[in-house]
Amino acid sequence: MRPSLLSAFLSGLVFALGLGLAGMTDPANVLGFLDIAGDWNPRLALVMGGAIAVHAALRPLIHRRARPLFAARFPVLPASRPDAKLLVGSALFGVGWGLGGYCPGPALTALATGAAPLLVFVPAMFAGFYLAQVLQARRGTA
């Protein structure tokens, strides 16, 4: 197995374990976080805060290296302003997350439970991914 694939697999595995340990595969925790006017649950905010803290602490240390462990160079992300595509996509993601209580990572992780709602949500999620690609291809945007 190529080192980059192994790295991606291990990163995904750590992410999935973290989601499971934090309870983020349970949509009740996500929906509880979104219920700011009712019985608010801060668990998701704590998980996000922990992730941001780890990133903030490790990113400067990682970028002191000449290059990443499994790539020729660090990616250079273009500086861009939010556009309609980003705003609409973000809104759709948020509405789907709020209605279903899942986003893609936790949904795939929780799929192992065999819960009936996930057997509908995950195929619908992939259908949405496919539909987005079809629409972008028709418009000529990537």
Side-chain angles (χ1 to χ4, degrees):
M1 180 180 285
R2 291 189 338 225
S4 60
L5 289 177
L6 180 61
S7 174
F9 173 77
L10 292 175
S11 296
L13 184 62
V14 168
F15 181 65
L17 290 171
L19 289 173
L21 289 172
M24 292 299 106
T25 58
D26 181 359
N29 288 324
V30 174
L31 296 173
F33 172 75
L34 297 173
D35 187 10
I36 57 174
D39 189 22
W40 186 67
N41 180 348
R43 181 179 277 184
L44 179 57
L46 296 172
V47 170
M48 287 190 291
I52 291 168
V54 169
H55 174 77
L58 293 181
R59 188 175 195 274
L61 296 173
I62 292 168
H63 277 270
R64 286 186 186 151
R65 300 179 55 86
R67 66 179 195 83
L69 291 176
F70 302 115
R73 61 185 169 81
F74 288 104
V76 178
L77 303 175
S80 61
R81 299 178 64 96
D83 58 2
K85 184 174 148 182
L86 175 66
L87 296 175
V88 170
S90 300
L92 287 172
F93 178 87
V95 168
W97 193 16
L99 290 173
Y102 290 109
C103 68
L108 292 175
T109 302
L111 190 60
T113 67
L118 286 165
L119 300 178
V120 174
F121 180 86
V122 171
M125 177 180 74
F126 280 105
F129 293 162
Y130 177 74
L131 179 61
Q133 286 182 335
V134 168
L135 292 175
Q136 286 179 349
R138 283 189 184 166
R139 292 184 65 199
T141 60

